[in-house]
Amino acid sequence: MVEKMRRQSRLESVVIGVCLIAILGLSFFYLYLRSTFRGEAPPVGDGAHILMLLPSLEDAESADFHAMAQDIAEQYGLRVEIMTQATVDGQREMLSIVPMTDVDAVLLWAVSNLDEDYQQELTGCRAAGIPVAIVEHDFEDKSLRDSFIGSGMNSELMVINQTLWDIREGSPVIIGSYSHAGEGELYELLVMLQEENPDFDPSQIRSERLRVFVENHPNDYYAHTYIQVRADTSGTAALNISLIRTLLQQEPAGLFFSLSEPLTAAMAMAADNGALAAGAPDILIGYGGEEELGAYIEAGVIDELIVPDVLYSSMIGLRYLNDVLRGFYVPPTLDSGVKLISGEELDG
């Protein structure tokens, strides 16, 4: 009996020890999580703490974002902090931590625009009462964020409508997008013709930006065929090979309009090195940075480059979050416009 009581006492001691270690471990972990949000905050203001969660930035771009954050922080008495994560998993991890810190609001430039990639983490922010504004990539589920600020349908439709006057009559228009989801990289292509396809099903399209063109068909071009391009093996090179093979099976487009820089770069490279041969589009327009793709503009491979001003959108996003925290109304979406760069502009 005495031995049994001793064993029970030792067991209780072990359990208590394990609990104490767990409590200490969680405490240190919590303090560590809090400390991770104090690395790049501009040292101004004692007001609301806003986290800017961005993908990886070039040095010059990072300096611009920090200067803008500093200016907004000083203007409104905020604590604005910038953190960069280049992957979906990295951004999700940071978002999952947010409810455990003193962050009051989040400005997110998401690596992916797929709802499922961020749904759990953004739902957690919503449950904790932490407003989120999105720049650059929007989500289909609008409950995941308070506002979206970025180039959108107004700008894109204007560019397409202006360009359609210059393409071959009856030639197809291809609008494409790119996603880097948890399951891998993906190109989506929407083939549009000057004839309606009553059987077209827009629900198969994953990209919301692409889906909107089905409803807002430009200059009487209608959604006709949806193509999803994936690679047999992992890697961007394999995906781009699949893209070329897919396009060689299609009628050459009068206009190829790319909604993302990776797709614009892939199309420009394939057209420049002859991989598309006679299948290259007559006109290639797409989103992308001038520094990365400007050479293709000079060579005449890309006809116009669409440059979104994410810095300007982020500035508006910080102001919107400040208004949300004060109980003011902000619009659910705002098209912040785009900048068009052509060869003539570069020559000038």
Side-chain angles (χ1 to χ4, degrees), residues 136-188:
E136 185 65 5
H137 299 310
D138 198 10
F139 296 113
E140 181 179 1
D141 182 357
K142 307 308 178 190
S143 69
L144 296 178
R145 48 69 164 180
D146 291 79
S147 186
F148 167 71
I149 308 98
S151 54
M153 279 304 302
N154 294 337
S155 301
E156 291 162 3
L157 275 172
M158 188 186 314
V159 173
I160 288 183
N161 283 331
Q162 291 174 346
T163 309
L164 287 179
W165 297 106
D166 300 324
I167 71 172
R168 291 177 288 111
E169 183 177 355
S171 61
V173 170
I174 299 179
I175 305 174
S177 69
Y178 163 86
S179 294
H180 189 175
E183 67 224 39
E185 297 174 293
L186 166 71
Y187 288 137
E188 294 181 273

Side-chain angles (χ1 to χ4, degrees), residues 36-37 39-42 49-55 57 61-70 80-84 318:
T36 61
F37 284 85
E40 301 184 56
H49 183 184
I50 299 180
L51 171 67
M52 296 176 64
L53 184 55
L54 313 175
L57 303 173
E61 191 177 25
S62 179
D64 290 340
F65 271 86
H66 277 81
M68 181 275 294
Q70 178 85 15
V80 180
E81 183 173 7
I82 295 178
M83 297 201 71
T84 57
L318 290 177

Side-chain angles (χ1 to χ4, degrees), residues 110-123:
V111 175
S112 167
N113 62 343
L114 299 182
D115 291 20
E116 55 264 36
D117 284 338
Y118 296 90
Q119 190 163 25
Q120 180 177 344
E121 291 73 23
L122 292 180
T123 299

Side-chain angles (χ1 to χ4, degrees), residues 30-312:
Y30 176 70
L31 291 173
Y32 164 75
L33 296 182
R34 288 180 60 89
S35 68
T36 61
F37 284 85
R38 297 180 178 175
E40 301 184 56
V44 295
D46 56 359
H49 183 184
I50 299 180
L51 171 67
M52 296 176 64
L53 184 55
L54 313 175
S56 58
L57 303 173
E58 298 293 334
D59 290 342
E61 191 177 25
S62 179
D64 290 340
F65 271 86
H66 277 81
M68 181 275 294
Q70 178 85 15
D71 181 65
I72 295 295
E74 292 176 348
Q75 185 175 355
Y76 295 102
L78 304 172
R79 288 182 293 152
V80 180
E81 183 173 7
I82 295 178
M83 297 201 71
T84 57
Q85 290 288 343
T87 65
V88 172
D89 288 341
Q91 289 191 330
R92 289 180 58 185
E93 182 179 356
M94 297 311 303
L95 287 170
S96 68
I97 292 171
V98 163
M100 302 171 63
T101 69
D102 65 346
V103 169
D104 298 301
V106 176
L107 180 73
L108 173 63
W109 178 357
V111 175
S112 167
N113 62 343
L114 299 182
D115 291 20
E116 55 264 36
D117 284 338
Y118 296 90
Q119 190 163 25
Q120 180 177 344
E121 291 73 23
L122 292 180
T123 299
C125 288
R126 176 72 69 191
I130 299 172
V132 177
I134 305 290
V135 296
E136 185 65 5
H137 299 310
D138 198 10
F139 296 113
E140 181 179 1
D141 182 357
K142 307 308 178 190
S143 69
L144 296 178
R145 48 69 164 180
D146 291 79
S147 186
F148 167 71
I149 308 98
S151 54
M153 279 304 302
N154 294 337
S155 301
E156 291 162 3
L157 275 172
M158 188 186 314
V159 173
I160 288 183
N161 283 331
Q162 291 174 346
T163 309
L164 287 179
W165 297 106
D166 300 324
I167 71 172
R168 291 177 288 111
E169 183 177 355
S171 61
V173 170
I174 299 179
I175 305 174
S177 69
Y178 163 86
S179 294
H180 189 175
E183 67 224 39
E185 297 174 293
L186 166 71
Y187 288 137
E188 294 181 273
L189 305 178
L190 179 63
V191 181
M192 307 189 75
L193 302 176
Q194 289 180 300
E195 58 185 64
E196 294 192 59
N197 178 5
D199 298 324
F200 187 84
D201 179 16
S203 65
Q204 59 191 320
I205 303 175
R206 302 188 63 171
S207 167
E208 185 192 8
R209 288 173 68 195
L210 198 60
R211 190 183 302 121
V212 175
F213 284 96
V214 179
E215 304 167 3
N216 299 273
H217 43 82
N219 276 2
D220 295 327
Y221 272 79
Y222 302 91
H224 187 271
T225 307
Y226 169 72
I227 304 170
Q228 197 172 98
V229 181
R230 294 183 181 274
D232 296 331
T233 59
S234 62
T236 302
L239 179 65
N240 290 342
I241 291 173
S242 295
L243 173 67
I244 293 169
R245 289 172 177 168
T246 300
L247 291 175
L248 289 175
Q249 297 173 9
Q250 308 297 315
E251 180 183 348
L255 167 65
F256 191 102
F257 189 91
S258 168
L259 299 175
S260 60
E261 182 168 323
L263 178 55
T264 306
M267 285 295 299
M269 187 180 301
D272 188 44
N273 64 24
L276 285 175
D282 295 338
I283 299 175
L284 172 59
I285 298 177
Y287 278 81
E290 182 177 354
E291 291 185 4
E292 295 78 11
L293 300 176
Y296 290 113
I297 286 280
E298 295 175 348
V301 177
I302 298 177
D303 295 273
E304 286 185 318
L305 199 60
I306 305 172
V307 183
D309 195 342
V310 184
L311 183 65
Y312 175 67

